[in-house]
Amino acid sequence: MEIKRNGSRPSGKGPADYFTGTVRVDPQFEAPEPARGRGASVTFEPGARTAWHTHPLGQTLHVISGVGRVQLWGGPVREIRAGDTVWIAPGEKHWHGAGPDTNMVHIALQEALDGSHVAWLEHVTDEQYNAKLGG
């Protein structure tokens, strides 16, 4: 057994290669091999978002506070709110972030396949982000 004390995992700024806007990532856990789970709390300031990306074994997002947006490639932009849980299937190209006028905090959970948790792709354009909400 290993106990990671609160404050032992430093917060980090979401890198500009993978995020637009102000994003803070607070690691929650990363299980040692052979386990492959990882979790983080991610805080998005208004308008901030991830780049398009995929996860080899899928991703679960649980919104803790605020109002955000999520979109699958080719699908509508969807609103997500505190208490919502989103499942994104393995390999589905997607992005997620805050609403234009509100912050959003979510817990992101994913597993690694062959050591990889995520494949980062191109940035979400302002036009994509500001598309009319659907579904």
PDB file of all heavy atoms in Angstrom, residues 1-23:
ATOM      1  N   MET A   1       0.844  -1.174   0.000  1.00  0.00           N
ATOM      2  CA  MET A   1       0.000   0.000   0.000  1.00  0.00           C
ATOM      3  C   MET A   1       0.888   1.236   0.000  1.00  0.00           C
ATOM      4  O   MET A   1       1.937   1.263   0.627  1.00  0.00           O
ATOM      5  CB  MET A   1      -0.904   0.009   1.226  1.00  0.00           C
ATOM      6  CG  MET A   1      -1.763   1.225   1.314  1.00  0.00           C
ATOM      7  SD  MET A   1      -3.048   1.209   2.587  1.00  0.00           S
ATOM      8  CE  MET A   1      -2.146   0.918   4.062  1.00  0.00           C
ATOM      9  N   GLU A   2       0.418   2.259  -0.698  1.00  0.00           N
ATOM     10  CA  GLU A   2       1.118   3.537  -0.737  1.00  0.00           C
ATOM     11  C   GLU A   2       0.087   4.644  -0.550  1.00  0.00           C
ATOM     12  O   GLU A   2      -0.969   4.621  -1.178  1.00  0.00           O
ATOM     13  CB  GLU A   2       1.823   3.709  -2.086  1.00  0.00           C
ATOM     14  CG  GLU A   2       2.570   4.996  -2.218  1.00  0.00           C
ATOM     15  CD  GLU A   2       3.258   5.144  -3.569  1.00  0.00           C
ATOM     16  OE1 GLU A   2       3.077   4.284  -4.456  1.00  0.00           O
ATOM     17  OE2 GLU A   2       3.954   6.141  -3.738  1.00  0.00           O
ATOM     18  N   ILE A   3       0.391   5.576   0.316  1.00  0.00           N
ATOM     19  CA  ILE A   3      -0.488   6.726   0.541  1.00  0.00           C
ATOM     20  C   ILE A   3       0.203   7.969  -0.008  1.00  0.00           C
ATOM     21  O   ILE A   3       1.324   8.284   0.388  1.00  0.00           O
ATOM     22  CB  ILE A   3      -0.806   6.908   2.039  1.00  0.00           C
ATOM     23  CG1 ILE A   3      -1.551   5.688   2.566  1.00  0.00           C
ATOM     24  CG2 ILE A   3      -1.602   8.203   2.260  1.00  0.00           C
ATOM     25  CD1 ILE A   3      -1.768   5.698   4.061  1.00  0.00           C
ATOM     26  N   LYS A   4      -0.452   8.638  -0.929  1.00  0.00           N
ATOM     27  CA  LYS A   4       0.044   9.911  -1.465  1.00  0.00           C
ATOM     28  C   LYS A   4      -0.648  11.012  -0.678  1.00  0.00           C
ATOM     29  O   LYS A   4      -1.874  11.150  -0.730  1.00  0.00           O
ATOM     30  CB  LYS A   4      -0.281  10.060  -2.955  1.00  0.00           C
ATOM     31  CG  LYS A   4       0.387   9.052  -3.834  1.00  0.00           C
ATOM     32  CD  LYS A   4       1.782   9.488  -4.144  1.00  0.00           C
ATOM     33  CE  LYS A   4       2.351   8.578  -5.217  1.00  0.00           C
ATOM     34  NZ  LYS A   4       3.670   8.960  -5.619  1.00  0.00           N
ATOM     35  N   ARG A   5       0.106  11.778   0.042  1.00  0.00           N
ATOM     36  CA  ARG A   5      -0.450  12.830   0.887  1.00  0.00           C
ATOM     37  C   ARG A   5      -0.938  14.011   0.054  1.00  0.00           C
ATOM     38  O   ARG A   5      -0.329  14.353  -0.971  1.00  0.00           O
ATOM     39  CB  ARG A   5       0.590  13.308   1.892  1.00  0.00           C
ATOM     40  CG  ARG A   5       1.016  12.240   2.872  1.00  0.00           C
ATOM     41  CD  ARG A   5      -0.100  11.965   3.855  1.00  0.00           C
ATOM     42  NE  ARG A   5       0.314  10.891   4.761  1.00  0.00           N
ATOM     43  CZ  ARG A   5      -0.521  10.110   5.389  1.00  0.00           C
ATOM     44  NH1 ARG A   5      -1.828  10.277   5.240  1.00  0.00           N
ATOM     45  NH2 ARG A   5      -0.086   9.169   6.170  1.00  0.00           N
ATOM     46  N   ASN A   6      -2.022  14.621   0.525  1.00  0.00           N
ATOM     47  CA  ASN A   6      -2.544  15.816  -0.108  1.00  0.00           C
ATOM     48  C   ASN A   6      -1.428  16.851  -0.204  1.00  0.00           C
ATOM     49  O   ASN A   6      -0.705  17.081   0.760  1.00  0.00           O
ATOM     50  CB  ASN A   6      -3.719  16.361   0.711  1.00  0.00           C
ATOM     51  CG  ASN A   6      -4.413  17.507   0.032  1.00  0.00           C
ATOM     52  OD1 ASN A   6      -4.302  17.674  -1.178  1.00  0.00           O
ATOM     53  ND2 ASN A   6      -5.134  18.299   0.798  1.00  0.00           N
ATOM     54  N   GLY A   7      -1.267  17.445  -1.375  1.00  0.00           N
ATOM     55  CA  GLY A   7      -0.226  18.429  -1.593  1.00  0.00           C
ATOM     56  C   GLY A   7       1.085  17.846  -2.081  1.00  0.00           C
ATOM     57  O   GLY A   7       2.011  18.593  -2.395  1.00  0.00           O
ATOM     58  N   SER A   8       1.177  16.518  -2.172  1.00  0.00           N
ATOM     59  CA  SER A   8       2.435  15.898  -2.612  1.00  0.00           C
ATOM     60  C   SER A   8       2.552  15.841  -4.132  1.00  0.00           C
ATOM     61  O   SER A   8       3.621  15.525  -4.644  1.00  0.00           O
ATOM     62  CB  SER A   8       2.578  14.492  -2.026  1.00  0.00           C
ATOM     63  OG  SER A   8       1.615  13.607  -2.583  1.00  0.00           O
ATOM     64  N   ARG A   9       1.475  16.130  -4.841  1.00  0.00           N
ATOM     65  CA  ARG A   9       1.476  16.133  -6.308  1.00  0.00           C
ATOM     66  C   ARG A   9       1.184  17.564  -6.763  1.00  0.00           C
ATOM     67  O   ARG A   9       0.061  18.040  -6.641  1.00  0.00           O
ATOM     68  CB  ARG A   9       0.414  15.161  -6.832  1.00  0.00           C
ATOM     69  CG  ARG A   9       0.698  13.712  -6.442  1.00  0.00           C
ATOM     70  CD  ARG A   9      -0.478  12.793  -6.730  1.00  0.00           C
ATOM     71  NE  ARG A   9      -1.714  13.195  -6.094  1.00  0.00           N
ATOM     72  CZ  ARG A   9      -2.096  12.856  -4.849  1.00  0.00           C
ATOM     73  NH1 ARG A   9      -1.329  12.121  -4.112  1.00  0.00           N
ATOM     74  NH2 ARG A   9      -3.247  13.258  -4.364  1.00  0.00           N
ATOM     75  N   PRO A  10       2.188  18.260  -7.283  1.00  0.00           N
ATOM     76  CA  PRO A  10       1.996  19.680  -7.598  1.00  0.00           C
ATOM     77  C   PRO A  10       1.042  19.918  -8.766  1.00  0.00           C
ATOM     78  O   PRO A  10       0.952  19.121  -9.696  1.00  0.00           O
ATOM     79  CB  PRO A  10       3.406  20.156  -7.955  1.00  0.00           C
ATOM     80  CG  PRO A  10       4.133  18.927  -8.366  1.00  0.00           C
ATOM     81  CD  PRO A  10       3.530  17.784  -7.594  1.00  0.00           C
ATOM     82  N   SER A  11       0.335  21.041  -8.683  1.00  0.00           N
ATOM     83  CA  SER A  11      -0.502  21.512  -9.792  1.00  0.00           C
ATOM     84  C   SER A  11       0.400  21.921 -10.943  1.00  0.00           C
ATOM     85  O   SER A  11       1.550  22.301 -10.736  1.00  0.00           O
ATOM     86  CB  SER A  11      -1.323  22.730  -9.378  1.00  0.00           C
ATOM     87  OG  SER A  11      -2.227  22.402  -8.372  1.00  0.00           O
ATOM     88  N   GLY A  12      -0.155  21.865 -12.143  1.00  0.00           N
ATOM     89  CA  GLY A  12       0.596  22.317 -13.307  1.00  0.00           C
ATOM     90  C   GLY A  12      -0.298  23.074 -14.267  1.00  0.00           C
ATOM     91  O   GLY A  12      -1.514  22.862 -14.315  1.00  0.00           O
ATOM     92  N   LYS A  13       0.321  23.969 -15.013  1.00  0.00           N
ATOM     93  CA  LYS A  13      -0.406  24.707 -16.041  1.00  0.00           C
ATOM     94  C   LYS A  13      -0.607  23.785 -17.236  1.00  0.00           C
ATOM     95  O   LYS A  13       0.308  23.057 -17.630  1.00  0.00           O
ATOM     96  CB  LYS A  13       0.395  25.938 -16.454  1.00  0.00           C
ATOM     97  CG  LYS A  13      -0.305  26.788 -17.475  1.00  0.00           C
ATOM     98  CD  LYS A  13       0.479  28.037 -17.806  1.00  0.00           C
ATOM     99  CE  LYS A  13      -0.289  28.807 -18.862  1.00  0.00           C
ATOM    100  NZ  LYS A  13       0.374  30.023 -19.252  1.00  0.00           N
ATOM    101  N   GLY A  14      -1.811  23.794 -17.820  1.00  0.00           N
ATOM    102  CA  GLY A  14      -2.064  23.018 -19.029  1.00  0.00           C
ATOM    103  C   GLY A  14      -1.193  23.536 -20.158  1.00  0.00           C
ATOM    104  O   GLY A  14      -1.280  24.723 -20.500  1.00  0.00           O
ATOM    105  N   PRO A  15      -0.324  22.709 -20.742  1.00  0.00           N
ATOM    106  CA  PRO A  15       0.600  23.175 -21.776  1.00  0.00           C
ATOM    107  C   PRO A  15      -0.117  23.709 -23.016  1.00  0.00           C
ATOM    108  O   PRO A  15      -1.125  23.148 -23.457  1.00  0.00           O
ATOM    109  CB  PRO A  15       1.411  21.933 -22.141  1.00  0.00           C
ATOM    110  CG  PRO A  15       1.093  20.898 -21.127  1.00  0.00           C
ATOM    111  CD  PRO A  15      -0.189  21.284 -20.467  1.00  0.00           C
ATOM    112  N   ALA A  16       0.417  24.789 -23.582  1.00  0.00           N
ATOM    113  CA  ALA A  16      -0.181  25.432 -24.759  1.00  0.00           C
ATOM    114  C   ALA A  16      -0.228  24.496 -25.965  1.00  0.00           C
ATOM    115  O   ALA A  16      -1.043  24.704 -26.865  1.00  0.00           O
ATOM    116  CB  ALA A  16       0.584  26.701 -25.109  1.00  0.00           C
ATOM    117  N   ASP A  17       0.604  23.476 -26.010  1.00  0.00           N
ATOM    118  CA  ASP A  17       0.547  22.504 -27.107  1.00  0.00           C
ATOM    119  C   ASP A  17      -0.754  21.704 -27.087  1.00  0.00           C
ATOM    120  O   ASP A  17      -1.180  21.199 -28.119  1.00  0.00           O
ATOM    121  CB  ASP A  17       1.720  21.530 -27.043  1.00  0.00           C
ATOM    122  CG  ASP A  17       3.035  22.161 -27.447  1.00  0.00           C
ATOM    123  OD1 ASP A  17       3.024  23.296 -27.983  1.00  0.00           O
ATOM    124  OD2 ASP A  17       4.078  21.520 -27.224  1.00  0.00           O
ATOM    125  N   TYR A  18      -1.375  21.580 -25.910  1.00  0.00           N
ATOM    126  CA  TYR A  18      -2.545  20.719 -25.741  1.00  0.00           C
ATOM    127  C   TYR A  18      -3.805  21.454 -25.301  1.00  0.00           C
ATOM    128  O   TYR A  18      -4.879  20.855 -25.276  1.00  0.00           O
ATOM    129  CB  TYR A  18      -2.258  19.619 -24.721  1.00  0.00           C
ATOM    130  CG  TYR A  18      -0.978  18.864 -24.965  1.00  0.00           C
ATOM    131  CD1 TYR A  18      -0.131  18.552 -23.920  1.00  0.00           C
ATOM    132  CD2 TYR A  18      -0.605  18.467 -26.246  1.00  0.00           C
ATOM    133  CE1 TYR A  18       1.047  17.846 -24.131  1.00  0.00           C
ATOM    134  CE2 TYR A  18       0.572  17.771 -26.464  1.00  0.00           C
ATOM    135  CZ  TYR A  18       1.387  17.470 -25.404  1.00  0.00           C
ATOM    136  OH  TYR A  18       2.551  16.778 -25.616  1.00  0.00           O
ATOM    137  N   PHE A  19      -3.680  22.726 -24.916  1.00  0.00           N
ATOM    138  CA  PHE A  19      -4.810  23.482 -24.379  1.00  0.00           C
ATOM    139  C   PHE A  19      -4.832  24.888 -24.972  1.00  0.00           C
ATOM    140  O   PHE A  19      -3.794  25.454 -25.289  1.00  0.00           O
ATOM    141  CB  PHE A  19      -4.722  23.603 -22.859  1.00  0.00           C
ATOM    142  CG  PHE A  19      -4.792  22.293 -22.134  1.00  0.00           C
ATOM    143  CD1 PHE A  19      -3.642  21.588 -21.816  1.00  0.00           C
ATOM    144  CD2 PHE A  19      -6.018  21.743 -21.780  1.00  0.00           C
ATOM    145  CE1 PHE A  19      -3.700  20.372 -21.150  1.00  0.00           C
ATOM    146  CE2 PHE A  19      -6.093  20.533 -21.121  1.00  0.00           C
ATOM    147  CZ  PHE A  19      -4.930  19.847 -20.801  1.00  0.00           C
ATOM    148  N   THR A  20      -6.039  25.453 -25.052  1.00  0.00           N
ATOM    149  CA  THR A  20      -6.246  26.856 -25.396  1.00  0.00           C
ATOM    150  C   THR A  20      -6.795  27.535 -24.154  1.00  0.00           C
ATOM    151  O   THR A  20      -7.735  27.027 -23.537  1.00  0.00           O
ATOM    152  CB  THR A  20      -7.255  26.985 -26.557  1.00  0.00           C
ATOM    153  OG1 THR A  20      -6.719  26.335 -27.706  1.00  0.00           O
ATOM    154  CG2 THR A  20      -7.558  28.435 -26.879  1.00  0.00           C
ATOM    155  N   GLY A  21      -6.224  28.671 -23.767  1.00  0.00           N
ATOM    156  CA  GLY A  21      -6.696  29.390 -22.598  1.00  0.00           C
ATOM    157  C   GLY A  21      -6.000  28.926 -21.332  1.00  0.00           C
ATOM    158  O   GLY A  21      -5.019  28.176 -21.364  1.00  0.00           O
ATOM    159  N   THR A  22      -6.541  29.374 -20.202  1.00  0.00           N
ATOM    160  CA  THR A  22      -5.943  29.084 -18.901  1.00  0.00           C
ATOM    161  C   THR A  22      -6.542  27.809 -18.318  1.00  0.00           C
ATOM    162  O   THR A  22      -7.745  27.736 -18.069  1.00  0.00           O
ATOM    163  CB  THR A  22      -6.153  30.268 -17.938  1.00  0.00           C
ATOM    164  OG1 THR A  22      -5.592  31.438 -18.540  1.00  0.00           O
ATOM    165  CG2 THR A  22      -5.502  30.010 -16.597  1.00  0.00           C
ATOM    166  N   VAL A  23      -5.662  26.826 -18.121  1.00  0.00           N
ATOM    167  CA  VAL A  23      -6.074  25.515 -17.615  1.00  0.00           C
ATOM    168  C   VAL A  23      -5.079  25.095 -16.534  1.00  0.00           C
ATOM    169  O   VAL A  23      -3.869  25.259 -16.698  1.00  0.00           O
ATOM    170  CB  VAL A  23      -6.079  24.463 -18.755  1.00  0.00           C
ATOM    171  CG1 VAL A  23      -6.445  23.096 -18.223  1.00  0.00           C
ATOM    172  CG2 VAL A  23      -7.029  24.884 -19.871  1.00  0.00           C
TER     173      VAL A  23
END
